[in-house]
Amino acid sequence: MLLLGIGLVAVSPLLGAFALGDEQLLLVDISLSTMLACGMFLGAFTAASSLGDEIRRRTVMVLLSKPVTRTTVLLGKFAGIALALTMAQLSWTATLMLAIRHRTIHSHLVDDHAPVLLIGLVALLISLLQAAWAHRRGKSFPATLSRNCTLLLVSAALLAWTWAPDGSLRWPATSFNTDILWAMLLVHEGVLILAAVALAASTRLPTPATIALSLATLFCGVIVGSLMRGSPWARWVPDLQRLWISDGLIRGGDISVATVGWASIWAFLVMSAVLAVGVALFARRDVG
């Protein structure tokens, strides 16, 4: 799923070429949608395998036999899932930064000496080769690949944006639209909410049902935010439209720190509520 997300974000500039307006904004919109979808499936699969499978195989008893509470186990699982999703999100964000940098060169037909495509491909190739080598030595291929992509792709993106068109060095923040980073952060918070839903569901449901519930939560959250806001039952479904600000970027709006802050507080409260439900479900689950 990590490589799928990287690949989809990397090819998004090809779709951006069909934009009638700003190509970069369409590229960002497609990439954010990709990150949300891939993050949702990655979180659901990880949650179902990290806790749900352990409950069904009764291997979770190994953890519960130690002096830890079920609440600690569930929150620890969520922390691990959140870390994995954050590393994947950083890799996808770095890929998007490289794609924007590369697309800027070709769309504006500027004389740019930065080998953006080469930098990105080398970073990805080194990540794959090192992960394959580590796998031969008995280490986990997905974990190693995730770590490598996070470090190398982020470094490649920073290098590409530090490299000015004339070959000199510059501060990346002066040339990159930081509103895009805020939008990515809010999308990531939405992914974490869906991961919390998947983890809570995995305490009772099998893997297919957990994934289906995560997908239904995403669908209902978008519908509620778009069409059903204010209805009596809408309060029971997280309004994920609060975290989707891509439309504002396309219309040329600016993202304030206050907007991001309030949205992040709302996301934290929703995650806390969902995890509280998960703790209650797990506390009453027979795992013996």
Side-chain angles (χ1 to χ4, degrees), residues 182 185-186 189 242-243 257-271:
W182 290 126
L185 174 62
L186 294 181
E189 291 173 358
R242 296 175 183 268
L243 305 175
V257 177
T259 299
V260 176
W262 283 113
S264 298
I265 292 174
W266 176 85
F268 175 77
L269 293 176
V270 172
M271 272 186 282

Side-chain angles (χ1 to χ4, degrees), residues 57-74:
R57 296 172 183 172
R58 303 188 185 278
T59 55
V60 73
M61 290 299 298
V62 177
L63 289 175
L64 297 179
S65 63
K66 299 178 180 180
V68 293
T69 64
R70 295 194 179 196
T71 300
T72 303
V73 171
L74 186 135

Side-chain angles (χ1 to χ4, degrees), residues 93-107:
T93 300
T95 305
L96 176 59
M97 293 176 65
L98 289 168
I100 293 175
R101 182 74 173 85
H102 181 68
R103 188 63 194 170
T104 301
I105 296 174
H106 292 275
S107 61

Side-chain angles (χ1 to χ4, degrees), residues 73-265:
V73 171
L74 186 135
L75 295 181
K77 293 289 186 181
F78 180 74
I81 294 171
L83 178 60
L85 290 174
T86 300
M87 295 177 68
Q89 186 75 20
L90 287 173
S91 299
W92 297 332
T93 300
T95 305
L96 176 59
M97 293 176 65
L98 289 168
I100 293 175
R101 182 74 173 85
H102 181 68
R103 188 63 194 170
T104 301
I105 296 174
H106 292 275
S107 61
H108 293 86
L109 300 177
V110 297
D111 185 16
D112 198 322
H113 299 284
V116 179
L117 187 60
L118 178 62
I119 293 173
L121 289 176
V122 168
L124 183 59
L125 181 60
I126 293 176
S127 299
L128 287 169
L129 291 177
Q130 200 281 328
W133 175 257
H135 180 66
R136 292 190 59 185
R137 301 176 62 183
K139 296 183 179 180
S140 172
F141 179 81
T144 306
L145 179 63
S146 178
R147 181 196 63 199
N148 291 348
C149 287
T150 301
L151 294 175
L152 295 179
L153 286 177
V154 169
S155 299
L158 292 176
L159 176 60
W161 280 94
T162 303
W163 199 325
D166 59 359
S168 62
L169 299 180
R170 63 183 177 183
W171 184 247
T174 60
S175 54
F176 186 77
N177 185 3
T178 54
D179 285 345
I180 297 176
L181 296 180
W182 290 126
M184 293 176 186
L185 174 62
L186 294 181
V187 167
H188 181 54
E189 291 173 358
V191 169
L192 292 180
I193 290 176
L194 296 174
V197 171
L199 185 63
S202 68
T203 61
R204 298 282 179 160
L205 301 177
T207 299
T210 297
I211 297 173
L213 182 60
S214 299
L215 188 60
T217 303
L218 173 61
F219 179 76
C220 292
V222 173
I223 293 298
V224 166
S226 301
L227 303 175
M228 306 298 294
R229 183 175 295 174
S231 61
W233 62 272
R235 69 186 65 180
W236 302 105
V237 180
D239 180 7
L240 296 180
Q241 282 290 109
R242 296 175 183 268
L243 305 175
W244 187 261
I245 55 178
S246 176
D247 296 337
L249 287 177
I250 292 177
R251 296 189 183 99
D254 295 326
I255 302 175
S256 65
V257 177
T259 299
V260 176
W262 283 113
S264 298
I265 292 174

